Amino acid sequence: MISIRRLVPLTYHFHYVFRSHGLRSCIPVGEHRPILNGFRRTFCTTKDLSLQKCVPCNRKDLSPMTEGSANVLKPKIPEWELLNDSGVMKLRRKWKVKNFLLGLEFFKIVADLAESEGHHPDLHLVGWNNVTIEIWTHACGGLTENDFILAAKIDKLPFESYLKRSK
């Protein structure tokens, strides 16, 4: 359990969420914050993103997060690259697999996860062993918290046996 004394107070109002597993702190939510996925949402600072669930992103008023918000969440997925592709913010990560068939199996594992989350990344197998995954929310043309959640979940997948060792 986190001690309240250890929390660093900010000048904003904090929401503290009590759960059976203890207290967590969140970045403040107020009227000044933009609406994300159709509702005001916190970006949790102490919770593992891989434990969260992607939320449906089929609303017409969905808008992408700002680069500042993306930079707040980026440290939670350090292996991923934050990039701006012609004005569209995306997450990208690259791997080298041992062979072509393992690359396809790699994609099957990611596809099963993506389907269970209802959030689908772009999968690229270039050459015979270069795997790249790009994630962004196509419905809004940029990044949402769902993208960071999916990236964190991909990072937890057991890929070690598929990957080529670095020299």
Side-chain angles (χ1 to χ4, degrees), residues 42 44-45 52 77 122 146:
T42 61
C44 294
T45 58
Q52 296 185 40
I77 52 166
D122 287 356
N146 283 348

Side-chain angles (χ1 to χ4, degrees), residues 46-61:
T46 58
K47 188 172 182 182
D48 184 350
L49 285 173
S50 68
L51 300 176
Q52 296 185 40
K53 179 80 175 144
C54 291
V55 296
C57 55
N58 54 1
R59 297 182 52 117
K60 298 218 187 262
D61 60 348

Side-chain angles (χ1 to χ4, degrees), residues 12-64:
Y12 302 106
H13 178 268
F14 263 148
H15 288 263
Y16 294 105
V17 179
F18 293 89
R19 302 216 182 210
S20 60
H21 60 275
L23 180 69
R24 65 181 178 159
S25 63
C26 296
I27 291 176
V29 174
E31 294 304 311
H32 65 284
R33 291 202 40 112
I35 294 175
L36 177 66
N37 294 339
F39 55 91
R40 296 197 192 283
R41 191 163 177 191
T42 61
F43 294 112
C44 294
T45 58
T46 58
K47 188 172 182 182
D48 184 350
L49 285 173
S50 68
L51 300 176
Q52 296 185 40
K53 179 80 175 144
C54 291
V55 296
C57 55
N58 54 1
R59 297 182 52 117
K60 298 218 187 262
D61 60 348
L62 181 69
S63 61

Side-chain angles (χ1 to χ4, degrees), residues 11-167:
T11 58
Y12 302 106
H13 178 268
F14 263 148
H15 288 263
Y16 294 105
V17 179
F18 293 89
R19 302 216 182 210
S20 60
H21 60 275
L23 180 69
R24 65 181 178 159
S25 63
C26 296
I27 291 176
V29 174
E31 294 304 311
H32 65 284
R33 291 202 40 112
I35 294 175
L36 177 66
N37 294 339
F39 55 91
R40 296 197 192 283
R41 191 163 177 191
T42 61
F43 294 112
C44 294
T45 58
T46 58
K47 188 172 182 182
D48 184 350
L49 285 173
S50 68
L51 300 176
Q52 296 185 40
K53 179 80 175 144
C54 291
V55 296
C57 55
N58 54 1
R59 297 182 52 117
K60 298 218 187 262
D61 60 348
L62 181 69
S63 61
M65 68 173 50
T66 65
E67 189 170 348
S69 295
N71 285 322
V72 169
L73 292 174
K74 173 64 179 79
K76 293 180 175 270
I77 52 166
E79 301 294 324
W80 291 79
E81 173 188 1
L82 185 61
L83 66 113
N84 187 327
D85 183 9
S86 302
V88 177
M89 296 292 294
K90 298 179 181 181
L91 296 173
R92 180 190 299 162
R93 184 161 178 204
K94 298 178 180 185
W95 296 264
K96 278 199 180 285
V97 292
K98 292 177 181 176
N99 61 53
F100 182 77
L101 290 177
L102 288 177
L104 295 176
E105 288 181 33
F106 184 103
F107 282 161
K108 174 67 171 126
I109 294 168
V110 172
D112 289 341
L113 170 65
E115 189 63 25
S116 72
E117 289 295 317
H119 196 61
H120 305 95
D122 287 356
L123 308 173
H124 306 273
L125 181 56
V126 181
W128 60 272
N129 72 335
N130 298 298
V131 172
T132 301
I133 297 178
E134 291 183 345
I135 306 173
W136 78 98
T137 301
H138 299 78
C140 74
L143 292 173
T144 64
E145 191 174 14
N146 283 348
D147 303 308
F148 289 86
I149 291 169
L150 184 60
K153 288 184 179 215
I154 290 170
D155 284 347
K156 299 279 185 179
L157 293 173
F159 288 136
E160 297 79 27
S161 65
Y162 294 75
L163 302 179
K164 195 171 190 176
R165 293 183 192 223
S166 300
K167 293 181 181 181

